[in-house]
Amino acid sequence: GESVGLHLPTLSVQEGDNSIINCAYSNSASDYFIWYKQESGKGPQFIIDIRSNMDKRQGQRVTVLLNKTVKHLSLQIAATQPGDSAVYFCAENRKGSQGNLIFGKGTKLSVKP
Amino acid sequence: NAGVMQNPRHLVRRRGQEARLRCSPMKGHSHVYWYRQLPEEGLKFMVYLQKENIIDESGMPKERFSAEFPKEGPSILRIQQVVRGDSAAYFCASSPVHDPGPFGPGTRLTVL
């Protein structure tokens, strides 16, 4: 399950299950959104992006959903694998801000074998 | 094609010393972005540079921090008179245009 406290929210799933990681963004002027995966000691790694004129985009085993009405973004990972264990961040790019990304706090995904 | 390179990967400084962090963008990328990450937090934007120009420094602290991206060589993030609160991971990203690009592996700065 998911818990929120002083530390990073954590999502623990069984290998093979689907994972859903949620993110609320702050500004209705944001027009581009990215999900990143960050493993311990490494830089953020691009997973998938979506522009504000779309509400869904699919990649390999990942799907991003965008709900502009409630300013909510989600990342779905199908058939979660141990290698998916990492911290996941959503980031928003406000229109005209030229690459100045605003990152969320992150969710730690833990996959149990 | 090498990715974004950062060095050093780990840097230890005593309070009051200077820290210099280097970022070599991907080949052909002329846009560089610097971000700072405190433990268990997301990345915070610091500065966006193109070759020889600072485009957006809205995230840079007003004192002690400076950044440059010269015509030749890597981009440098310089922190003068470091304090314990500067301890963090510093990441850069590069791009051929003004959209976000790939990140480097980061420099972990520890101030004693």
Side-chain angles (χ1 to χ4, degrees):
Chain A
E2 185 174 340
S3 64
V4 177
L6 293 177
H7 303 289
L8 280 175
T10 300
L11 177 64
S12 188
V13 300
Q14 201 71 39
E15 182 179 359
D17 287 352
N18 296 335
S19 303
I20 300 176
I21 300 171
N22 297 302
C23 177
Y25 63 93
S26 57
N27 196 307
S28 54
S30 295
D31 63 351
Y32 180 53
F33 305 88
I34 307 173
W35 278 101
Y36 288 95
K37 173 186 179 183
Q38 187 176 29
E39 295 172 286
S40 182
K42 295 185 179 180
Q45 176 189 354
F46 173 94
I47 302 174
I48 192 167
D49 60 1
I50 189 167
R51 297 212 176 261
S52 59
N53 59 353
M54 302 172 70
D55 52 22
K56 180 179 179 179
R57 189 153 188 240
Q58 287 184 285
Q60 188 177 16
R61 280 202 308 120
V62 294
T63 301
V64 55
L65 299 177
L66 174 63
N67 185 330
K68 295 182 286 293
T69 303
V70 295
K71 296 205 285 279
H72 183 269
L73 200 64
S74 69
L75 176 70
Q76 300 176 3
I77 305 174
T80 315
Q81 302 167 2
D84 295 328
S85 294
V87 178
Y88 289 80
F89 293 98
C90 65
E92 60 182 295
N93 188 204
R94 294 179 187 173
K95 192 174 181 180
S97 68
Q98 297 189 26
N100 175 345
L101 293 173
I102 299 169
F103 280 76
K105 282 195 177 295
T107 296
K108 184 174 182 178
L109 176 64
S110 179
V111 182
K112 295 176 286 188
Chain B
N1 186 14
V4 179
M5 309 282 282
Q6 290 187 249
N7 70 83
R9 295 293 311 276
H10 299 273
L11 182 61
V12 179
R13 285 286 177 267
R14 297 193 180 279
R15 280 179 295 170
Q17 291 184 319
E18 179 180 286
R20 281 186 181 233
L21 288 62
R22 293 174 189 77
C23 170
S24 297
M26 287 182 68
K27 188 176 180 181
H29 288 192
S30 59
H31 301 245
V32 165
Y33 310 83
W34 284 95
Y35 287 78
R36 175 165 64 177
Q37 184 178 34
L38 295 172
E40 301 224 326
E41 291 192 11
L43 280 70
K44 297 279 195 298
F45 170 81
M46 299 181 75
V47 62
Y48 161 38
L49 311 103
Q50 289 183 39
K51 283 284 186 182
E52 300 183 277
N53 289 303
I54 296 175
I55 307 302
D56 179 356
E57 56 181 347
S58 58
M60 286 280 270
K62 295 286 182 252
E63 297 177 348
R64 303 186 297 107
F65 284 72
S66 62
E68 62 177 11
F69 188 16
K71 188 176 178 182
E72 302 290 337
S75 175
I76 307 284
L77 179 68
R78 182 181 176 208
I79 311 172
Q80 294 178 291
Q81 299 175 314
V82 296
V83 301
R84 289 218 172 105
D86 297 334
S87 294
Y90 292 81
F91 293 96
C92 75
S94 75
S95 176
V97 293
H98 58 74
D99 279 335
F103 281 87
T107 293
R108 277 144 190 88
L109 172 66
T110 302
V111 180
L112 301 177

